[in-house]
């Protein structure tokens, strides 16, 4: 079954725009982390599309890892504060510069938990590169070092972002049509 044509009330960013933005951010990351012990950590599942774009333009030596950080439960558009992290045990953190790649920073609670975890395990540094940022929703003092676009307090889907596990494979980011929530 195809997604309805009006699933997005507004397209915010096209694939071409996102790819250009990923290139721009990758160039800054290349300059900032050249010669450093960098591990780039993709958060599953939402960041995977953006992560793949970004990594094509990263041209410095780095490791890549994947973790799962979940805060949403079921068909809701609200964050549940109880963030769960998995797969972080399987790679070296100590003395590594960690760059977390996120699809979106909303309340900031996921990043806050991840920062706490990586710092507790003696990373050299930890920062975040996010495609989208919703600063008006922030509950903690997280400021993404690298941010694609700041957006209003709207629920967005596409390019990895889901609503109840659907719509991740739409090749642009847009605001979900409220009639489907
Ligand atoms: P935070 O912990 O509130 O910052 O939320 C981070 C996670 O919530 C993101 O990685 C997304 O998976 C999810 N999220 C937050 N806002 C949206 C949205 O507008 N659309 C889809 N997922 C979202």
């Amino acid at each position: 079954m195809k997604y309805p044509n009006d699933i997005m009330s507004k397209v915010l960013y096209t694939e071409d725009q996102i790819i250009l933005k990923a290139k721009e951010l990758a160039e800054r990351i290349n300059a900032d982390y050249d010669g450093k012990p960098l591990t780039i950590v993709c958060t599953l599942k939402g960041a995977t599309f953006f992560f793949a774009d970004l990594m094509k333009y990263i041209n410095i030596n780095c490791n890549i890892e994947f973790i799962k950080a979940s805060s949403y439960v079921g068909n809701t558009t609200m964050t549940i504060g109880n963030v769960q992290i998995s797969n972080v045990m399987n790679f070296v953190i100590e003395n590594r510069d960690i760059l977390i790649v996120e699809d979106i920073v909303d309340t900031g609670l996921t990043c806050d938990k991840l920062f706490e975890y990586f710092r507790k395990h003696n990373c050299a540094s930890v920062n975040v590169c996010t495609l989208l940022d919703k600063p008006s929703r922030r509950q903690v003092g997280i400021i993404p070092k690298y941010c694609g676009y700041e957006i209003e307090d709207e629920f967005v889907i596409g390019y990895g972002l889901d609503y109840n596990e659907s719509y991740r494979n739409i090749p642009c980011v847009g605001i979900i049509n409220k009639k489907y929530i």
Side-chain angles (χ1 to χ4, degrees):
M1 196 179 71
K2 288 194 174 162
Y3 295 141
N5 286 336
D6 62 348
I7 188 63
M8 289 179 175
S9 57
K10 187 180 178 192
V11 172
L12 294 180
Y13 306 107
T14 64
E15 183 176 17
D16 288 350
Q17 285 174 311
I18 295 170
I19 290 170
L20 275 179
K21 185 60 83 173
K23 185 167 186 245
E24 195 184 300
L25 294 174
E27 281 163 5
R28 283 177 51 202
I29 294 166
N30 289 333
D32 291 351
Y33 288 95
D34 192 11
K36 297 196 171 162
L38 177 62
T39 300
I40 303 183
V41 179
C42 174
T43 56
L44 298 171
K45 305 168 195 171
T48 48
F49 289 63
F50 172 55
F51 175 79
D53 289 339
L54 189 74
M55 290 313 299
K56 286 176 218 158
Y57 298 106
I58 297 281
N59 60 12
I60 55 172
N61 185 25
C62 61
N63 297 353
I64 63 172
E65 299 290 350
F66 294 83
I67 59 170
K68 187 156 174 53
S70 33
S71 56
Y72 280 35
V73 180
N75 59 342
T76 171
T77 60
M78 299 297 292
T79 295
I80 311 295
N82 181 14
V83 177
Q84 293 184 345
I85 307 167
S86 38
N87 197 39
V88 261
M89 305 304 284
N90 299 335
F91 59 91
V92 176
I93 296 169
E94 194 163 349
N95 298 326
R96 304 283 308 176
D97 289 293
I98 306 286
L99 182 63
I100 300 162
V101 178
E102 270 283 15
D103 50 356
I104 188 163
V105 180
D106 183 32
T107 62
L109 290 169
T110 307
C111 276
D112 198 48
K113 277 272 176 232
L114 291 173
F115 276 36
E116 186 186 314
Y117 184 88
F118 288 122
R119 286 186 178 132
K120 206 169 99 193
H121 289 79
N122 302 317
C123 63
S125 70
V126 58
N127 282 295
V128 63
C129 174
T130 186
L131 173 60
L132 304 169
D133 188 9
K134 273 194 229 174
S136 64
R137 295 250 312 152
R138 203 70 95 250
Q139 290 179 19
V140 286
I142 292 284
I143 301 169
K145 184 167 182 185
Y146 308 95
C147 171
Y149 305 100
E150 282 192 5
I151 61 169
E152 301 295 319
D153 182 7
E154 302 276 9
F155 198 83
V156 290
I157 52 169
Y159 225 84
L161 291 134
D162 75 306
Y163 172 68
N164 199 17
E165 289 301 327
S166 289
Y167 315 122
R168 293 190 195 275
N169 54 327
I170 298 174
C172 62
V173 169
I175 299 170
I176 193 166
N177 188 332
K178 289 200 169 49
K179 79 180 192 200
Y180 295 106
I181 293 185

